[in-house]
Amino acid sequence: MKAIVIPNPNEIEIREVPMPEVKEGEALLKVKYVGICGADVASFTGNQPFTTYPRIPGHEFSAEIVSIPENDKGLKAGDIVTCNPYFNCGGCYSCERGFVNCCTDNQTMGVQRDGAFCEYISMPIERIYDGKGLSAQELALIEPFSISQHAVSRATIKETDNVLVIGAGPIGLFALLAAKQKCNRIVVADILDNRLELAKEYGADAVVNTKTQSLEEFTKEFTNGNGFDVCIEACGAPETFLGCIENAAFAANIILIGNGKRE
């Protein structure tokens, strides 16, 4: 089968690679769509410190089940699905305590293990999720949306809260969509007008270009000088992290989802 491979930083090629070995308790999947995450770009440029090479990138994807053993999830051949791309060992101290995101042997598809930029993959059944009628294109967006949805759920947003999202890239926009289910006082900040236009289309109640406007002055006016009750940082840069702190109310929730994704 064909696969996209990053043999070394700043090198990329299409290779013929063996079909995946399907182990007990796994299914064979035919990949349908794969998103390009910033982590994949960082793997290509050599700026992802955890990537080992050579590596097949890709962890935001949808697939069709080719073959699968009988299972209690009701999954069957022909189903369109998505998957959890984060593998934990199950035996370390963090895993035993239920903090699987802190696994000492975490392996993320496209980083420490091969990803989905290939024709077929094998996947443990417990990591496969029924698409529930969503299209294959939509299912490829489930992983990044889940990152934002999880962060918003941790922020415990109330209907009366003023919410600031810094960063109008995919993760920030998904955070906006998730937050809109909870309140209608959401501001999105970025330095690119085209991204801010998307934020307005997706329901932002106000936007601010921090390259041309003072976020501090905007915050004072929008919140009557109180600061934002919830700040969601979706860039992963020191200056945007500080921007969340500087524009937050005294008892605010500050959630970081821009750097590394996993919390």
Side-chain angles (χ1 to χ4, degrees):
M1 68 172 182
K2 288 183 171 57
I4 294 175
V5 179
I6 303 173
N8 295 292
N10 296 304
E11 299 176 12
I12 194 165
E13 58 191 43
I14 298 177
R15 288 184 181 177
E16 285 289 338
V17 299
M19 286 285 290
E21 177 187 352
V22 182
K23 301 176 183 177
E24 184 178 353
E26 293 184 344
L28 178 65
L29 308 180
K30 180 177 176 59
V31 176
K32 303 289 286 186
Y33 289 91
V34 188
I36 300 175
C37 176
D40 298 316
V41 177
S43 292
F44 170 69
T45 59
N47 293 314
Q48 167 53 270
F50 304 113
T51 300
T52 55
Y53 301 92
R55 184 60 60 220
I56 298 173
H59 60 270
E60 305 172 357
F61 65 95
S62 61
E64 179 181 350
I65 297 177
V66 176
S67 62
I68 188 170
E70 186 175 344
N71 60 89
D72 58 9
K73 300 178 77 171
L75 297 169
K76 61 187 183 303
D79 285 350
I80 304 300
V81 298
T82 189
C83 302
N84 177 357
Y86 302 111
F87 287 72
N88 61 291
C89 71
C92 70
Y93 182 58
S94 295
C95 286
E96 288 178 348
R97 297 171 64 218
F99 300 117
V100 297
N101 60 309
C102 300
C103 173
T104 56
D105 189 35
N106 167 67
Q107 292 190 4
T108 297
M109 290 178 65
V111 182
Q112 295 97 343
R113 63 164 56 206
D114 282 336
F117 270 107
C118 50
E119 294 184 87
Y120 296 89
I121 60 172
S122 60
M123 182 65 64
I125 295 172
E126 68 267 17
R127 296 186 178 276
I128 302 174
Y129 294 90
D130 183 3
K132 297 186 180 298
L134 293 176
S135 71
Q137 286 177 305
E138 290 169 327
L139 286 170
L141 297 172
I142 291 296
E143 191 274 343
F145 178 78
S146 297
I147 298 297
S148 301
Q149 170 64 34
H150 175 58
V152 167
S153 68
R154 291 184 66 183
T156 59
I157 296 172
K158 299 185 290 294
E159 187 176 355
T160 56
D161 281 346
N162 290 309
V163 177
L164 171 66
V165 178
I166 297 186
I171 299 298
L173 292 175
F174 282 140
L176 162 64
L177 291 174
K180 284 295 290 185
Q181 306 305 307
K182 298 177 178 292
C183 75
N184 288 300
R185 296 278 295 172
I186 305 172
V187 173
V188 177
D190 203 286
I191 61 173
L192 298 175
D193 285 331
N194 61 326
R195 287 189 170 188
L196 293 173
E197 285 300 318
L198 278 176
K200 286 192 287 187
E201 290 180 23
Y202 291 172
D205 300 285
V207 298
V208 53
N209 187 323
T210 56
K211 198 172 185 178
T212 58
Q213 296 175 262
S214 166
L215 182 56
E216 183 178 358
E217 291 301 317
F218 183 93
T219 298
K220 289 178 182 177
E221 182 177 350
F222 190 85
T223 68
N224 295 319
N226 296 318
F228 285 94
D229 303 294
V230 176
C231 295
I232 299 173
E233 197 282 328
C235 292
E239 59 270 24
T240 49
F241 168 68
L242 292 174
C244 281
I245 293 175
E246 292 167 354
N247 292 280
F250 184 74
N253 284 322
I254 299 178
I255 303 294
L256 310 179
I257 55 174
N259 189 9
K261 286 189 173 181
R262 306 191 77 192
E263 302 146 55

